[in-house]
Each structure stands twice: as C-alpha cells, then as structure tokens.
Amino acid sequence: MGTQVADNYPPAKDGRSAQEKAIDDWLPITSSRNAKWWYSAFHNVTAMVGAGVLSLPYAMGPGIAVLILSWIITLYTLWQMVEMHEMVPGKRFDRYHELGQHAFGEKLGLWIVVPQQLVVEVGVNIVYMVTGGKSLKKFHDVLCEGHGCKNIKLTYFIMIFASVHFVLSQLPNFNSISGVSLAAAVMSLSYSTIAWGASVDKGKVADVDYHLRATTSTGKVFGFFSALGDVAFAYAGHNVVLEIQATIPSTPEKPSKKPMWKGVVVAYIIVALCYFPVALVGYWAFGNHVDDNILITLSRPKWLIALANMMVVIHVIGSYQIYAMPVFDMIETVLVKKLRFPPGLTLRLIARTLYVAFTMFIAITFPFFGGLLGFFGGFAFAPTTYFLPCIMWLAIYKPRRFSLSWFTNWICIILGVMLMILSPIGGLRQIIIDAKTYKFYS
C-alpha cells in the first residue's frame, strides 16, 4: 500500500521535482506547516521538562550554579538555532543536520550532527520508557499499599507503557501530536508543582544532611560529574527545535523565527517555574537523602503521589513522541529516498513499530534511571545543546575576533566541552554500580 508519487508534473517553485515534493509532503517534518506560536511553546516545554526535572533535587548538592548557568546558556543557543533556521533567503533548514551541512559541508555536516542527534533522541526515548514504566509501577504500588496486591515486575510496566506508543507512533507528523504534546506540557507543570508543594508540606526531614552523599573523595568527584549530566539532560529541546520550527508557516514578510521565538520565551519561563522550585525545595526538604526521582522519596499523601506519577506517565508519553518524530523522519527519509521503498502506511507501520520495540527492549534490559540520565546527559546532550549551535554560528556568521559575540560563543563552547567530557564519567560509574546488584529482566 503506497502513496502515488508522480514524475509527470512540473517541478516545484523551489526547484524540487514533483517526486521530491510529494515525498517531502509525506515525510513527518515537512508535511505540515500551519502551526501557531503556541505550538512552539508547548512542544518545547514537552521536549525539555521531562524525567530530568524529578532528578534535579538529587543533583543539587553540586549542581545549583550549573542549573542556573545552563538555563542562560541554553536559552542563548536556542535563540541562535531559531535565527539560523532561515538565514539563507528562500531556504529553510528544517532539520538539525541540514543546518550542520550548511555550516560544515554536505558530508562532514551529516557525520557531525546525525550521530549525536540520534544518540540524544534514541537515548531520551529509552530513558522515557524506563521513566514511564517506573512511574506506572509507583502508581500501582501506592494504590495497592496495604491491600496485599501482587508485586509486578518493572518489565511488565515498561511493556504497558510501550503499548501506548505502538499506537501513537502512527500519527503522521508534529502537528498531529499537538494534542498529546499540549496535555504533556500541562502535566509537566502540574506534577512539578505537586513535587515541590508536597516537599514544602512535608518540611525538612529530621536528619537532613546537605553534604555530598558520597563519603570518599573519589565518590564525591564522580557524584559531581553525574550531577552535571543530570542538569545537562534537563535542557534537551535543541535536538528538536528546528524540526518544530519547520511546522510554522514562513514568508519574507513574516518569517517563522518571530512566532517561534515567542513560543520559546514562553516555554523557558514555564521551564524555570518547573525546574527551580523542584530543585531547590526538594533539596531543602530532603538533602542528600532524596532519591534520583523525588516522587519516589515522597510517599504521602498517597492519592497525591499516585496522581503525580500518572501525570508523569502522560507527560513522558508526549515527550517520547516529540523526540521520536525526528527519528521517524530520518528512518523514513533513508527508506524512501535512498532505498527507494514506496512511501505509505505499510512502510510507516513496520518502521515505527520496530523502533518502538527496540527502545522498549533496551529499556527493559538496562533500567538504570539515574545512571542513564548522567551518561546520556553529558555524552550527547552537551554537544547538541551547549556548544554545537555556537560552533555553527562562528562558522557561518564569522563574528569579529574578540567581539562580544565571539567571546560569548567561545565561553559556551569551552563550558560545553567540559560538560561533555566530565559528566558521562559519573553516569557510567553509576550504571556500573547499579549493574552489580541487578538481575536481567527481574
């Protein structure tokens, strides 16, 4: 079952053949361009405020300055990407790798951007599979407490969470998942408020301790590195921002960067309202006794914690779809343009189902939530979020040496490279520690 793609029509105004235009009109990123500025707002909130917000109190010992600095740096680099989307008159860089190709060349741009973007997006989807499964399990355990319910393996909850995505992954493009994304954005603000509100209500625990949780110098150093990764994970929207902007209409008189930036600013205000109260109040209440997911630390009132965990489930359903859509676009582009498969329902059904099954399998096999956050956060998020936009800006715009723009970009690059090198070390160590006591598929 395929989509008819004809060659006997005149080429499109931008020089594409009728076949190329038909394929672009089918691919998820370029098939719909009627989004409004508020789509940008809630898509960006859904992309950024994910599982990471609940781990921020756990990272706060060494991470408060990094959290604030990251909010500033990533807002700046996000502005750069929004500006660069239409830097060439009459052309739109609808995908991160297309901007990379413009900055670094056709082949080099692909090799620099695509592997990193895939690691981020696939990594996020795996982590969100784990998060969704853990939140469903917590919801079940809280409701069943005292009722003698059977203990169910985390594996099954991850499979239940994945079953939703086998269906939702068939939605064709970003605009078609806007309802899911809006619900997810509302849930993120809601459960963040519950997390810090319940922490305030509970107050400081009796033996609260604000020292680093590790007792050895080695442990403290690695804990700091891991906390850096947790913070880096909290700002990941850059990996889908060009793809989100691609859904907004654009003309020379009304470029898409204006509504896109308006949505980004609103999103970042909401992000601040989610991140900072949860991080600061959660750490104030529990100190270094807080879990890597603060909702696990909070156990009362039962109904509120159960509700918050279900909100997390709804949110990461939306987040998973936001990060999966560019991956679907890459997969379908290769299958249709390179391997010449006919575009259509059958191809989409098989390709997307296999992808969801893959992320589910990895999540079931390696459900190390805290360590995964730290490892993926540094290894992949730091380049694509903190310094790759700055490198592209320097390569394309070539600001005068020692100017404010030049200094700003190089500072972001240096800090981002340090984050990329240091944070995966802590995350990898945490995965190794967790793996020592973990039994596969238990």
Side-chain angles (χ1 to χ4, degrees):
M1 184 177 177
T3 300
Q4 285 294 320
V5 180
D7 273 320
N8 56 347
Y9 292 102
K13 290 179 181 178
D14 55 8
R16 292 175 297 163
S17 69
Q19 184 178 25
E20 288 172 331
K21 183 180 184 303
I23 291 173
D24 286 341
D25 289 344
W26 178 80
L27 289 171
I29 301 302
T30 47
S31 63
S32 179
R33 295 194 190 270
N34 57 4
K36 308 298 183 185
W37 72 264
W38 52 85
Y39 284 51
S40 161
F42 59 71
H43 281 329
N44 275 289
V45 170
T46 300
M48 276 185 283
V49 186
V53 66
L54 299 174
S55 71
L56 290 178
Y58 185 80
M60 271 309 95
I64 182 59
V66 179
L67 181 66
I68 296 170
L69 190 61
S70 291
W71 190 90
I72 296 168
I73 290 174
T74 57
L75 179 59
Y76 171 68
T77 54
L78 200 53
W79 169 79
Q80 288 180 310
M81 296 194 72
V82 171
E83 286 289 316
M84 288 189 285
H85 182 87
E86 291 161 297
M87 58 169 49
V88 178
K91 182 174 175 59
R92 299 181 68 173
F93 298 110
D94 293 324
R95 299 164 177 89
Y96 205 143
H97 69 263
E98 291 174 3
L99 182 60
Q101 287 174 299
H102 180 71
F104 307 120
E106 284 292 315
K107 287 190 177 179
L108 184 60
L110 275 179
W111 281 107
I112 289 174
V113 175
V114 171
Q116 294 185 86
Q117 193 180 13
L118 276 176
V119 168
V120 170
E121 289 164 351
V122 177
V124 168
N125 283 157
I126 293 167
V127 171
Y128 283 168
M129 278 282 182
V130 178
T131 309
K134 282 195 170 186
S135 296
L136 277 174
K137 180 172 172 56
K138 178 70 174 178
F139 176 78
H140 168 269
D141 294 348
V142 168
L143 291 184
C144 283
E145 190 179 341
H147 297 288
C149 296
K150 183 181 178 182
N151 183 40
I152 301 175
K153 292 180 182 178
L154 175 62
T155 296
Y156 296 118
F157 287 105
I158 294 175
M159 291 171 72
I160 292 167
F161 181 78
S163 66
V164 177
H165 295 292
F166 285 114
V167 178
L168 289 181
S169 65
Q170 298 308 312
L171 292 170
N173 52 48
F174 263 119
N175 284 351
S176 66
I177 62 170
S178 57
V180 179
S181 180
L182 176 59
V186 172
M187 290 300 106
S188 66
L189 189 56
S190 301
Y191 71 68
S192 298
T193 304
I194 289 173
W196 68 260
S199 299
V200 169
D201 182 66
K202 191 162 187 172
K204 282 187 184 182
V205 295
D207 56 344
V208 66
D209 183 359
Y210 299 119
H211 294 97
L212 295 177
R213 55 182 56 83
T215 53
T216 63
S217 298
T218 305
K220 289 177 181 177
V221 171
F222 280 116
F224 175 72
F225 292 165
S226 187
L228 291 179
D230 288 353
V231 173
F233 190 96
Y235 297 97
H238 298 59
N239 292 278
V240 292
V241 69
L242 292 178
E243 288 80 355
I244 292 170
Q245 192 169 347
T247 65
I248 297 175
S250 183
T251 64
E253 299 76 30
K254 293 183 178 180
S256 66
K257 66 182 181 181
K258 291 183 179 179
M260 183 67 189
W261 179 241
K262 186 177 180 181
V264 166
V265 170
V266 171
Y268 255 72
I269 291 170
I270 296 172
V271 166
L273 292 174
C274 292
Y275 283 7
F276 295 114
V278 172
L280 297 173
V281 174
Y283 189 68
W284 165 81
F286 302 107
N288 60 20
H289 295 302
V290 71
D291 288 285
D292 63 357
N293 180 335
I294 190 172
L295 292 181
I296 294 174
T297 308
L298 294 161
S299 55
R300 292 288 184 274
K302 280 172 59 173
W303 67 268
L304 189 64
I305 302 309
L307 178 64
N309 276 280
M310 189 47 66
M311 287 176 173
V312 173
V313 172
I314 294 170
H315 179 244
V316 292
I317 285 172
S319 295
Y320 183 99
Q321 290 299 315
I322 288 286
Y323 280 98
M325 199 58 74
V327 181
F328 295 155
D329 184 81
M330 289 185 201
I331 293 170
E332 289 163 17
T333 298
V334 170
L335 290 174
V336 173
K337 291 189 175 182
K338 300 290 184 186
L339 302 180
R340 303 294 179 184
F341 281 91
L345 181 62
T346 304
L347 179 139
R348 188 160 274 171
L349 181 65
I350 295 170
R352 296 188 180 190
T353 299
L354 287 174
Y355 175 77
V356 174
F358 168 75
T359 56
M360 179 188 73
F361 172 73
I362 300 298
I364 289 170
T365 309
F366 305 105
F368 310 127
F369 181 63
L372 284 172
L373 275 180
F375 183 72
F376 284 126
F379 178 68
F381 288 63
T384 54
T385 300
Y386 286 79
F387 65 86
L388 195 54
C390 297
I391 293 174
M392 291 192 291
W393 188 273
L394 291 173
I396 294 167
Y397 285 107
K398 297 179 172 58
R400 185 169 47 85
R401 185 174 290 190
F402 305 123
S403 65
L404 180 61
S405 174
W406 187 89
F407 268 118
T408 303
N409 283 290
W410 274 108
I411 289 169
C412 292
I413 291 168
I414 292 166
L415 292 174
V417 170
M418 289 171 60
L419 193 63
M420 180 187 72
I421 294 169
L422 298 178
S423 58
I425 299 170
L428 187 59
R429 177 178 178 268
Q430 191 60 46
I431 291 172
I432 293 168
I433 291 170
D434 290 342
K436 287 180 180 178
T437 57
Y438 175 71
K439 294 180 180 178
F440 281 105
Y441 311 112
S442 60

